[in-house]
Amino acid sequence: MIGLLQRVAQASVSVDGEVMGAIGPGLLVLLCAERGDTEKEADALLAKLLAYRVFGDDSGRMNRSLSDVAGGLLLVPQFTLAADTRSGTRPSFTPAAPPEEGRRLFDYAVARARQTYEADQVHTGRFGAHMQVALVNDGPVTFWLQVPPAR
């Protein structure tokens, strides 16, 4: 599983002009399932992103996690994070999980996030939809997290 975390002052995701999810301060996470990923990788990535210390403490050092600051969590499916860009000028998406599996794992990750975090703080985009994502990156602070599938 891949998660591209962005610390945001605010973020939203819309489909056909309708806001699907919006948060104030927190994390926008673009989420991607890779071939071979299971619930185990989704759980590991979720645990890591909820505990990842990217928010400032009283000294301005990144020592607080999303859980520590009770921030919003906006999960947006984005299979293109798994793109293989090593050759040519067109990306290959063969490393991404097949659509049905990607949807299943995204839905699983959302459900687990709502179980393990503040359910009313977890918002999402729509899998398979053409989405517009708006954000104010706070910092900017962006991290790539990956939990590779077991081989």
Side-chain angles (χ1 to χ4, degrees):
M1 296 281 297
I2 299 169
L4 183 69
L5 282 64
Q6 297 182 71
R7 185 179 74 187
V8 297
Q10 62 187 28
S12 65
V13 60
S14 301
V15 175
D16 296 329
E18 178 186 349
V19 175
M20 304 302 303
I23 61 170
L27 289 178
L28 165 64
V29 181
L30 304 176
L31 195 60
C32 175
E34 296 179 277
R35 286 188 186 276
D37 281 341
T38 66
E39 291 84 353
K40 179 181 174 186
E41 288 78 23
D43 286 338
L45 182 64
L46 181 62
K48 190 166 186 172
L49 73 88
L50 289 175
Y52 215 61
R53 297 182 302 165
V54 299
F55 295 92
D57 61 16
D58 294 337
S59 300
R61 297 179 55 109
M62 285 194 255
N63 278 326
R64 292 187 177 143
S65 69
L66 183 67
S67 297
D68 293 334
V69 301
L73 178 61
L74 181 56
L75 300 172
V76 176
Q78 187 173 355
F79 79 96
T80 61
L81 289 174
D84 181 349
T85 59
R86 292 176 289 180
S87 67
T89 57
R90 183 169 185 259
S92 167
F93 298 110
T94 56
E100 305 79 33
E101 187 65 6
R103 177 187 307 269
R104 186 184 73 74
L105 287 171
F106 177 76
D107 291 345
Y108 174 83
V110 169
R112 292 290 294 148
R114 288 183 171 144
Q115 289 171 351
T116 59
Y117 191 58
E118 305 289 327
D120 62 336
Q121 290 282 72
V122 179
H123 301 272
T124 71
R126 183 183 303 154
F127 192 94
H130 184 92
M131 296 173 280
Q132 290 74 47
V133 179
L135 70 135
V136 176
N137 192 315
D138 183 18
V141 173
T142 303
F143 295 96
W144 172 280
L145 297 181
Q146 185 172 21
V147 176
R151 301 276 181 219

